[in-house]
């Protein structure tokens, strides 16, 4: 008797891949290279994706860890994750020309931190220790902000006045896990204040909702994204929580192992918010080589968000086009 071979299909989540903030940040570096010529310096990875960074390096972008590595007077782009005020100060001291590609949704959280700090609130920032976004937000009001790194961090929180406490969050967290952390914090601080609007960005929420839908029908979910991408790693966790027997994070198709596909009938595919679509296409081609040729896109919500380029860059581009 022939061994049973399940029908092989792929469910592709939509929305996936680039969000408006990532698109803006990557385009900012590309336009800066066009406008000013190489090299253009970028503090940290412009977005957390290995492929994007290598592509921009090939065009003449130089990625550095700190502004002190940038030659005085040169152009430096700040990444989509945002920076602390001290980084702006360092750049000014070195007379650097800055292009701030911070995602506007991260800037919103920075502004919330400044506003609540000015009112002398204790601010509980839910996020992952060491993440660039968290460091940038915390730098806005270090004397008022405490990091809460998931449920394990709740018991370590100490506040001056339990009636003057607000929570904020990193924009790329698990929606479900953050809700649980806030609930635990509220058990300790019943008068805990919510931010004026949800800090977890629309793209993070939408991509998690989409992967939940395909995970329920998939034995395996492949998430395209780099290992330092918080939102991509959250997609792997959400896929497992919502029904997928296995889920793996891959930088590109070359990371897929053949044994993952043994006995699998349905593979779900999605990608983090800093992943170009060409990497997803590569994964689909790799799956097709293994017989997964029935591909269905599963759309949960339409996205139309766009952000304007950083104002410093727009100003120079306008001046060039007018001359």
């Amino acid at each position: 008797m022939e061994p049973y071979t399940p029908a092989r299909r792929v469910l592709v989540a939509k929305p996936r891949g680039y969000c408006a903030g990532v698109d803006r940040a990557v385009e900012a570096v590309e336009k800066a290279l066009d406008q000013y010529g190489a090299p253009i310096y970028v503090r940290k990875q412009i977005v957390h994706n290995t492929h994007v960074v290598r592509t921009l390096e090939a065009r003449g972008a130089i990625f550095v860890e700190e502004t002190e590595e940038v030659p005085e007077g040169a152009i430096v782009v700040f990444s989509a994750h945002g920076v602390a005020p001290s980084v702006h100060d360092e750049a000014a001291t070195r007379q650097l020309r800055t292009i701030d590609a911070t995602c506007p949704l991260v800037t919103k959280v920075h502004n919330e931190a400044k506003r609540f700090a000015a009112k002398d609130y204790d601010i509980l920032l839910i996020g992952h220790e060491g993440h660039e976004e968290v460091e940038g937000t915390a730098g806005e009001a270090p004397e008022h902000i405490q990091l809460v790194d998931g449920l394990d961090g709740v018991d370590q929180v100490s506040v001056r006045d339990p009636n003057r406490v607000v929570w904020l969050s990193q924009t790329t967290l698990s929606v479900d896990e953050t809700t649980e952390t806030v609930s635990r914090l509220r058990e300790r601080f019943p008068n805990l204040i919510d931010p004026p609007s949800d800090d977890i960005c629309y793209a993070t929420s939408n991509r998690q909702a989409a992967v939940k839908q395909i995970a329920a029908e998939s034995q395996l979910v492949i998430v395209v994204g780099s290992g330092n991408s918080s939102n991509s790693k959250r997609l792997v966790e959400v896929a497992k929580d919502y029904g997928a027997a296995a889920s793996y994070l891959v930088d590109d198709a070359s990371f897929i192992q053949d044994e993952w596909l043994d006995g699998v009938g349905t593979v779900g595919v999605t990608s983090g918010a800093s992943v170009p679509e060409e990497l997803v296409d590569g994964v689909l081609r790799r799956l097709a080589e293994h017989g997964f040729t029935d591909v269905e896109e599963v759309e949960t919500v339409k996205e139309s968000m766009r952000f304007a380029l950083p104002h410093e860059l727009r100003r120079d581009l306008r001046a060039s086009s007018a001359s």
Side-chain angles (χ1 to χ4, degrees), residues 104-115:
L105 299 179
V106 173
T107 299
K108 177 182 77 74
V109 182
H110 281 224
N111 291 336
E112 290 169 353
K114 288 187 284 188
R115 188 164 62 249

Side-chain angles (χ1 to χ4, degrees), residues 26 45 124 130 139 169 202 210 251:
V26 174
Q45 292 189 357
L124 308 182
S169 82
Y202 79 96
D251 253 312

Side-chain angles (χ1 to χ4, degrees), residues 3 22 75 89 115 164 177 179 185 195 207 225 257 263 279 294:
V22 164
I75 296 172
D89 294 341
R115 188 164 62 249
R164 295 185 65 79
E177 186 178 326
T179 300
L185 284 169
R207 278 149 192 71
Q257 299 180 27
L279 298 183
D294 179 5

